[in-house]
Amino acid sequence: MSKTIEELIKIDQERRSALNFGMKLGVATIAASYGVQEAFGQNQSLAPLPPNWPNKPIKLIVPFPPGNTLDIVARFVQTKMSQDLGQSVYIENIGGAYAQIGMAAIARANPDGYTFGASQGGPMVVQPHTVKNLPYDVLRDFIPVAVSAWNYNALAGSLSAPFKTLSEMVTWARANPGKLTVGTTGEGGFAHLWFEDFRRQAKFEYTHVPYKGTANIASDLVSGAIMAGADGISGFAGLAKGEKIRIVAITNSTKVEQWPGVSLLSDAVPGFVVNGWFGFVAPAKTPMAIVNRLNQAINAAMKSPEVQEKLPSYGLIGVTESAEYFDQLNRKDYERYGAIVKAIGLEAK
């Protein structure tokens, strides 16, 4: 297990270095475009932590049902945070409408530090561009607290597909425009957008096949009903290890120990990297001193040996950064996926 953790730490450091470089180039412009970090910037004060905070249990809203990856990350930190803060941190799962109900509940909560929420890239950086009348404004209604984990996605292939490797797939797709069939978990979803971005840069056409879930994609990969599928690695790993399907490529910046012979998407499109992230947010106007204390407790939990040992089995890489770092990451990805949606002409529904 120690080797795996070391590999993941290396990956984390490389992504952080790349992200920080990108932020130096562009995050100031992005922030200015959205009110100079309005929701986050309003909390930049030197006010001390309230002396009696926390003096009652703290609610952690998870906008998905139990068992979702975000729910798992929230439970990783829950117990450790309770011990650190001296008050119970309890989880309330508010699922439905692709996380919109739970995210709206976080946004409407009293910004007193006794309610915060878990979130991930989909509701924060994709849905604002693909969903009409979203019941919250990502850049104004939340203050980022901590990004705690990220994962990489995978491009999986059917064993009956006319290709085995990424280079073979790209070559075949270019020679057979529109005949490559690729399943994702829905139009406008995270995987659909990154695959659209990839295929535009790799210069080939394909046919998108939307599904309700990863299990459905995997089933049709096994049967050969579709040639390829794009989603998180965890949804394909078991079948790939059992040689029922193959992993054609992963979206990470470097190869990983679990898939040593698998290509990176950046082998076909230099610099192409995609990582989904999981983190925590608070209602806008939550005092910055409380935000920083929550960040400290979450980071301490993520650094614990117990959590570090569990991360690889879920395909996750632990992250322990500041609230400001998460704010910049969120805005950078918000800009990226907004540009993809615009480029492919996808209309919000």
Side-chain angles (χ1 to χ4, degrees):
M1 183 65 70
S2 61
K3 275 191 172 182
T4 301
I5 292 173
E6 290 169 2
E7 177 72 15
L8 294 179
I9 290 172
K10 180 181 177 183
I11 294 167
D12 174 24
Q13 291 172 339
E14 290 177 352
R15 173 178 160 96
R16 185 185 301 131
S17 177
L19 178 63
N20 284 337
F21 177 74
M23 285 174 180
K24 288 177 183 178
L25 293 178
V27 75
T29 301
I30 295 169
S33 299
Y34 297 103
V36 195
Q37 302 184 340
E38 182 176 343
F40 192 79
Q42 288 173 350
N43 291 275
Q44 299 296 336
S45 71
L46 299 177
L49 188 71
N52 62 341
W53 184 91
N55 60 13
K56 63 180 181 180
I58 299 171
K59 180 193 296 184
L60 169 52
I61 295 175
V62 177
F64 291 99
N68 170 274
T69 301
L70 183 62
D71 177 73
I72 291 169
V73 172
R75 294 179 192 278
F76 280 166
V77 305
Q78 175 192 13
T79 300
K80 292 290 184 182
M81 285 189 73
S82 298
Q83 295 170 353
D84 191 340
L85 297 172
Q87 284 288 343
S88 172
V89 175
Y90 67 97
I91 290 175
E92 181 176 342
N93 293 92
I94 306 178
Y98 300 100
Q100 293 173 39
I101 298 174
M103 293 300 297
I106 300 168
R108 291 193 301 264
N110 189 343
D112 59 1
Y114 289 100
T115 300
F116 72 113
S119 192
Q120 63 189 59
M124 296 288 287
V125 302
V126 174
Q127 288 186 16
H129 308 291
T130 61
V131 178
K132 282 185 178 180
N133 303 317
L134 206 61
Y136 53 85
D137 185 317
V138 168
L139 299 178
R140 300 184 190 278
D141 292 344
F142 305 105
I143 178 167
V145 175
V147 57
S148 295
W150 47 54
N151 65 2
Y152 52 90
N153 277 214
L155 181 63
S158 171
L159 298 184
S160 64
F163 51 81
K164 293 182 180 179
T165 67
L166 179 64
S167 62
E168 289 175 354
M169 186 199 78
V170 171
T171 299
W172 189 89
R174 287 172 178 167
N176 298 273
K179 292 185 178 181
L180 172 66
T181 52
V182 181
T184 77
T185 53
E187 185 178 54
F190 183 66
H192 176 221
L193 293 186
W194 68 249
F195 189 79
E196 281 283 354
D197 192 25
F198 172 74
R199 72 91 187 167
R200 285 189 310 111
Q201 295 188 56
K203 296 180 172 54
F204 65 83
E205 301 296 327
Y206 80 111
T207 296
H208 180 228
V209 185
Y211 287 85
K212 291 184 177 180
T214 310
N216 305 101
I217 298 172
S219 176
D220 276 3
L221 284 172
V222 173
S223 70
I226 56 173
M227 297 179 187
D231 206 1
I233 185 66
S234 60
F236 299 132
L239 288 172
K241 294 293 186 183
E243 299 184 348
K244 301 293 184 182
I245 61 175
R246 64 171 54 93
I247 303 300
V248 175
I250 59 173
T251 67
N252 205 50
S253 60
T254 60
K255 292 183 181 294
V256 297
E257 184 177 340
Q258 294 92 332
W259 310 102
V262 172
S263 297
L264 305 174
L265 288 186
S266 59
D267 293 337
V269 177
F272 191 93
V273 177
V274 174
N275 292 105
W277 49 255
F278 306 87
F280 299 89
V281 298
K285 299 184 181 180
T286 298
M288 196 62 201
I290 291 178
V291 169
N292 286 334
R293 183 65 182 94
L294 290 171
N295 173 275
Q296 182 184 52
I298 291 167
N299 286 349
M302 291 302 299
K303 289 178 181 177
S304 69
E306 300 95 317
V307 172
Q308 287 291 315
E309 289 177 1
K310 294 175 182 177
L311 292 172
S313 63
Y314 293 96
L316 296 171
I317 301 166
V319 187
T320 53
E321 293 284 356
S322 67
E324 291 86 351
Y325 175 93
F326 186 22
D327 181 60
Q328 293 176 347
L329 169 63
N330 181 58
R331 291 172 184 273
K332 186 172 182 290
D333 280 357
Y334 184 100
E335 181 84 353
R336 176 184 184 180
Y337 288 98
I340 295 172
V341 168
K342 183 177 181 179
I344 66 176
L346 187 65
E347 294 185 4
K349 297 180 179 179

